[in-house]
Amino acid sequence: NGKTQTELSKEYGISVSAISRWIKLYSEVKVDDNTIMTAKQIKELQKRNAQLEEENIILKKSACHNDSTLRERMRAVHLLRHEHAIITLCRVLNVNRSSYYKHFNSKEPKRTIENRNIKNCILQIYSEAKCRYGAKKMRKVLEVNYGIHISQGRVYRLMKQMQLPKMSTVKPKFKAANKSNDRDCHNILKQNFNPKEPNKAWCSDITYIKAGGRFYYLCVIIDLFSRRVIAYKISCKIDTKLVLDTFEFALKNRNYPENVIFHSDRGSQYTSDELRKRLDRASFIQSFSKKGHPYDNAVAEAFFKFLKLEETNRRSYTAFDELELSVFEYIHFYNFKRPHSANDLLSPVQFEELF
């Protein structure tokens, strides 16, 4: 209407600076493409442009896409909270702010804390046992060593979540000759693998292990009561002397018992006259598996199975000394620490001490 800013200020009681600012905001100007816009519209466009640029940066930083889970999106919000406003991050990544605050500010569930502590114990046990335990044995060790009483299924789930590496094995291709002598080979044991006391029944067998490009032979003697390896010897020859030497170690370690059943297969080392005479002098009763029946000596066969699965087939030995140390360490682990299913998941030594 041709009035000055001073006149308008007096008429409406508004400051001159406010009127001046309004004039600047709403005065129309032409932009590059001859579009007529007010200063306010231009400012709003600049603000929106800056907002879109920030949203684009957030999407790139978060690495989230349409199929990202809510947990992944909330984690992205949490990681970027110091660089952008949480309200902006939640809007861009489609996360409810209350859900975000509840997730990160609420108290951690008791079950989650408990599982984390159990996983630490599992990792320690698994490492010490060199990846040899499954859920069943792990549950027993947790109970005995740490006082943690949980189900086998829960142990299995926790181990699966941890993605623990499995044992890797390399099986050597070799079959040892086994000549037998069938004379007077009676089966006294008859698969009675659970005597009531120690030193009532022993079993023995021989296996082969490769080291430094050649095969060595391991003879063991096991007390069937506790499944404890009471003597062993490694030799480059598979002969009667190997069995005799192992038997002498067993006698000494068990304080020379008498009237013990000594069970084995029908290998020539066990049917030899030398061994028979030594067993007679020690007042032992010799027992043999049926020909072609490995089940009659299943305890010794099972020990060799786990020795190879859990130790020797997982390694490559360049010298005899390496093999000897490896077998010593495994048998010590087997006797003193490894839970045995026949002993109510106690180790052989623990089972004997309990008796």
Side-chain angles (χ1 to χ4, degrees):
N1 295 329
K3 292 181 180 179
T4 65
Q5 293 181 23
T6 305
E7 291 172 338
L8 290 170
S9 174
K10 289 178 180 178
E11 185 176 347
Y12 294 104
I14 299 168
S15 67
V16 175
S17 59
I19 295 171
S20 178
R21 187 169 62 253
W22 292 344
I23 291 170
K24 287 179 182 177
L25 283 174
Y26 294 99
S27 295
E28 294 181 345
V29 293
K30 281 187 179 181
V31 293
D32 295 340
D33 57 353
N34 293 324
T35 303
I36 298 173
M37 300 180 70
T38 63
K40 185 180 179 182
Q41 289 174 326
I42 293 171
K43 192 174 181 180
E44 287 175 351
L45 283 174
Q46 288 173 339
K47 184 179 176 181
R48 179 58 181 156
N49 187 48
Q51 187 180 0
L52 290 171
E53 284 181 0
E54 185 181 21
E55 290 177 3
N56 193 34
I57 290 168
I58 289 170
L59 290 170
K60 285 180 179 179
K61 285 180 180 178
S62 66
C64 289
H65 47 79
N66 293 335
D67 297 327
S68 296
T69 63
L70 177 60
R71 186 178 292 273
E72 289 172 339
R73 285 181 277 128
M74 284 200 293
R75 178 173 168 76
V77 172
H78 196 65
L79 290 173
L80 297 173
R81 70 190 187 281
H82 298 303
E83 301 176 38
H84 305 274
I86 289 178
I87 188 171
T88 305
L89 290 166
C90 289
R91 176 173 52 78
V92 174
L93 296 175
N94 194 24
V95 174
N96 191 300
R97 266 195 299 162
S98 60
S99 300
Y100 165 76
Y101 285 121
K102 183 178 179 181
H103 181 75
F104 285 101
N105 295 337
S106 60
K107 215 174 181 181
E108 196 171 15
K110 185 180 177 182
R111 182 83 166 189
T112 304
I113 297 170
E114 193 178 78
N115 282 344
R116 185 166 61 244
N117 294 335
I118 294 171
K119 283 179 180 179
N120 290 335
C121 296
I122 288 173
L123 188 62
Q124 186 174 347
I125 295 166
Y126 199 74
S127 177
E128 289 174 356
K130 298 182 180 177
C131 314
R132 292 176 179 131
Y133 289 162
K136 185 177 181 180
K137 288 185 172 62
M138 185 65 73
R139 187 201 70 78
K140 187 65 179 180
V141 176
L142 284 169
E143 183 180 310
V144 173
N145 293 357
Y146 293 90
I148 297 173
H149 300 270
I150 57 175
S151 69
Q152 183 178 322
R154 186 175 173 189
V155 174
Y156 173 79
R157 288 192 297 273
L158 292 174
M159 291 179 73
K160 190 175 181 182
Q161 290 171 15
M162 295 169 73
Q163 297 180 334
L164 296 172
K166 294 182 179 179
M167 291 188 299
S168 58
T169 59
V170 180
K171 296 183 180 179
K173 295 181 180 179
F174 176 79
K175 189 173 181 179
N178 184 19
K179 297 179 182 179
S180 64
N181 185 345
D182 291 342
R183 64 186 179 91
D184 300 327
C185 295
H186 302 295
N187 190 341
I188 308 297
L189 187 66
K190 294 181 180 178
Q191 297 190 18
N192 181 15
F193 297 139
N194 297 295
K196 302 299 181 183
E197 299 177 25
N199 299 322
K200 291 297 181 184
W202 295 357
C203 69
S204 180
D205 203 356
I206 300 172
T207 192
Y208 58 89
I209 307 169
K210 195 172 185 179
R214 64 170 298 177
F215 285 97
Y216 292 90
Y217 303 93
L218 169 66
C219 177
V220 299
I221 297 177
I222 298 171
D223 190 321
L224 291 176
F225 169 73
S226 62
R227 306 302 202 261
R228 182 176 184 172
V229 178
I230 56 176
Y232 74 95
K233 186 181 178 183
I234 308 172
S235 173
C236 58
K237 293 182 180 179
I238 182 169
D239 54 13
T240 303
K241 186 177 184 304
L242 172 62
V243 180
L244 281 168
D245 290 346
T246 311
F247 181 67
E248 293 298 337
F249 291 145
L251 284 175
K252 185 177 179 182
N253 291 339
R254 301 302 257 190
N255 200 22
Y256 298 92
E258 294 182 350
N259 300 318
V260 181
I261 296 173
F262 185 86
H263 187 83
S264 67
D265 59 22
R266 299 189 183 198
S268 59
Q269 302 81 19
Y270 292 101
T271 58
S272 66
D273 289 334
E274 290 176 81
L275 181 63
R276 285 173 182 257
K277 289 175 183 177
R278 182 67 188 94
L279 290 170
D280 285 341
R281 289 200 305 273
S283 300
F284 271 59
I285 306 158
Q286 195 166 15
S287 172
F288 295 96
S289 300
K290 291 180 183 178
K291 194 172 183 179
H293 248 257
Y295 310 105
D296 289 341
N297 202 16
V299 174
E301 298 280 357
F303 170 76
F304 286 144
K305 170 190 169 183
F306 289 112
L307 167 71
K308 293 184 177 183
L309 180 68
E310 297 177 353
E311 182 66 18
T312 60
N313 286 357
R314 300 167 63 193
R315 302 180 57 180
S316 179
Y317 304 103
T318 57
F320 173 74
D321 291 344
E322 289 182 20
L323 171 62
E324 193 173 38
L325 179 61
S326 174
V327 172
F328 167 77
E329 287 179 344
Y330 181 78
I331 290 178
H332 184 274
F333 164 79
Y334 176 88
N335 281 339
F336 285 86
K337 293 185 177 181
R338 188 181 186 277
H340 202 295
S341 56
N343 298 339
D344 192 25
L345 292 178
L346 295 173
S347 72
V349 171
Q350 287 172 331
F351 194 69
E352 286 190 357
E353 287 175 350
L354 187 66
F355 174 79

